[in-house]
Amino acid sequence: MSHSEIDDAELVRQFKQGDAGAFDAIVRRFQDRIYRLACVWLYDAQHAADVAQEVFLRSHTGLRRFHFRAAPFTWLYRTTRLVCNEFNRRHRYEAIDREPVDDAAGPERQLEAWQTAGRVRALVARLPKRQQEVVMLRIFEALPVKATAAAMGCREGTVKALLHKAMQGLRTQSEEATEL
């Protein structure tokens, strides 16, 4: 059975038993998600790539001590959040209004996508931190409620309530911006 056919927990078990290929499979499986999460928190592709690399460097050591109290993605999510927070503190980083450019789209579409992404980022950034997290996990990453609750370390009902409040807040902000 190849590494791509094995579930996350089994990959971690194999890695803990010395299978270096299992760690490579973990990185391949989660690198895009970790990068996207870091992009949302840092607003900069290069910084997000640096953070993703740091997350996997730490996970190479940390997963050896993994106790399976959470899903491997939950552990990686929390590590990503921690590394992003450390990065922000260390660099006193301010958000840059820059988006990756889709070279296949025409200039008008690129500009429109960039402007829309900037407006969405600005609205989400005005939400309380926990609401930002739930929007990122439930909407941007499309995680189920149960997985979101595990990643955030809260109950499923809390996730639903936070998402409801976040969506109300985003609607209100959007309406206020439209009235201006």
Side-chain angles (χ1 to χ4, degrees):
M1 184 179 287
S2 75
H3 287 125
S4 63
E5 299 170 355
I6 299 173
D7 74 13
D8 301 343
E10 184 57 32
L11 275 177
V12 173
R13 281 186 193 86
Q14 288 181 8
F15 171 65
K16 289 176 74 162
Q17 293 171 355
D19 182 353
F23 184 75
D24 292 341
I26 291 167
V27 171
R28 281 191 306 277
R29 186 171 291 180
F30 294 110
Q31 66 187 355
D32 290 342
R33 291 175 86 182
I34 298 304
Y35 172 76
R36 281 194 312 269
L37 290 168
C39 278
V40 170
W41 277 317
L42 301 175
Y43 302 107
D44 183 274
Q46 183 56 51
H47 294 310
D50 293 344
V51 163
Q53 183 176 13
E54 177 66 21
V55 166
F56 288 112
L57 285 172
R58 289 185 187 191
S59 66
H60 192 271
T61 304
L63 283 174
R64 294 189 188 283
R65 297 184 308 273
F66 188 70
H67 297 294
F68 299 95
R69 293 186 190 119
F73 175 74
T74 301
W75 186 85
L76 287 168
Y77 166 80
R78 290 178 181 165
T79 302
T80 304
R81 185 172 59 183
L82 174 72
V83 174
C84 285
N85 288 341
E86 288 173 1
F87 183 90
N88 284 331
R89 275 194 306 274
R90 200 170 45 241
H91 295 282
R92 298 188 189 273
Y93 183 79
E94 303 233 347
I96 297 174
D97 282 328
R98 191 171 17 156
E99 278 296 306
V101 176
D102 178 6
D103 292 332
E108 297 83 19
R109 301 255 330 194
Q110 290 175 3
L111 179 61
E112 183 180 320
W114 177 79
Q115 290 171 336
T116 300
R119 286 191 298 271
V120 170
R121 271 199 323 269
L123 293 174
V124 172
R126 291 171 51 191
L127 294 172
K129 289 290 182 197
R130 296 286 283 175
Q131 289 179 23
Q132 288 179 32
E133 274 187 77
V134 81
V135 166
M136 186 168 54
L137 292 171
R138 286 286 295 132
I139 306 299
F140 298 142
E141 285 299 312
L143 284 183
V145 172
K146 186 174 186 169
T148 301
M152 292 179 66
C154 64
R155 295 183 178 160
E156 291 177 33
T158 303
V159 168
K160 292 175 184 177
L162 285 169
L163 185 59
H164 179 74
K165 288 179 185 176
M167 297 311 286
Q168 281 182 320
L170 290 172
R171 264 193 235 67
T172 301
Q173 289 181 47
S174 180
E175 289 168 1
E176 290 171 359
T178 304
E179 291 174 1
L180 296 177

